[in-house]
């Protein structure tokens, strides 16, 4: 059996495609790889590249149900982005009106992190990798 090599992509479903596209592209600075309107599904699919080769897939669907609770619902708890330093990204988010929680320290690794939310309230984390 071939071992897993890593995560290829994470798929997200948004409520407002234009708002979420702006957030992930302009605010977070991800690069658009491809964008497709799927007319038969009344849906958009946006492929976004991360600098390390990972990818986010952003989907829209008509009237998607909201997440049941935050963040302790079954399934994906949150999505964490690795950053070299927290403060520049926190400042960038604040300038866009996106609040971050106070910086915390991972009790097991000693690394610093913070949480914020995307336009649909999906919990996102910035994790400082030193």
């Amino acid at each position: 059996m071939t071992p897993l090599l890593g995560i290829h992509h994470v798929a997200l479903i948004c409520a407002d495609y234009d708002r979420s596209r702006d957030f992930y592209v302009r605010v977070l600075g991800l690069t658009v790889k491809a964008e497709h309107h799927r007319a038969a599904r009344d849906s958009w699919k946006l492929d976004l590249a991360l600098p390390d080769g990972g990818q986010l897939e952003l989907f829209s669907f008509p009237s998607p149900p909201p997440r049941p609770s935050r963040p302790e619902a079954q399934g994906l708890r949150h999505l964490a982005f690795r950053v070299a330093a927290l403060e520049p990204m926190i400042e960038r988010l604040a300038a866009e009106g996106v609040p971050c929680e106070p910086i915390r320290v991972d009790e097991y690794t000693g690394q610093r992190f913070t949480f914020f939310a995307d336009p649909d309230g999906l919990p996102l984390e910035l994790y400082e990798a030193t």
Side-chain angles (χ1 to χ4, degrees):
M1 176 192 273
T2 303
L4 298 176
L5 299 176
I7 294 175
H8 180 268
H9 69 270
V10 174
L12 307 172
I13 297 173
C14 63
D16 181 326
Y17 180 75
D18 292 329
R19 183 178 69 174
S20 292
R21 185 189 193 286
D22 180 67
F23 178 80
Y24 284 97
V25 174
R26 187 180 60 79
V27 176
L28 294 185
L30 300 181
T31 302
V32 174
K33 289 181 68 174
E35 186 171 29
H36 304 281
H37 184 255
R38 304 174 316 165
R41 298 175 117 182
D42 191 19
S43 170
W44 283 94
K45 179 181 185 280
L46 178 65
D47 296 328
L48 299 166
L50 291 158
D52 68 357
Q55 182 173 310
L56 292 183
E57 291 181 348
L58 184 66
F59 290 92
S60 70
F61 292 100
S63 305
R67 182 179 169 90
S69 69
R70 183 194 182 293
E72 308 306 345
Q74 251 183 354
L76 181 67
R77 182 173 183 200
H78 64 268
L79 175 59
F81 295 102
R82 186 175 59 242
V83 295
L86 288 176
E87 284 80 1
M89 196 65 189
I90 291 170
E91 290 169 9
R92 179 178 179 162
L93 290 168
E96 295 292 337
V98 179
C100 290
E101 293 180 1
I103 293 172
R104 294 188 263 168
V105 176
D106 185 308
E107 64 184 293
Y108 302 110
T109 67
Q111 300 299 307
R112 299 180 331 139
F113 65 96
T114 187
F115 283 94
F116 63 105
D118 82 349
D120 292 307
L122 176 68
L124 301 175
E125 179 182 355
L126 298 174
Y127 193 87
E128 192 172 67
T130 56

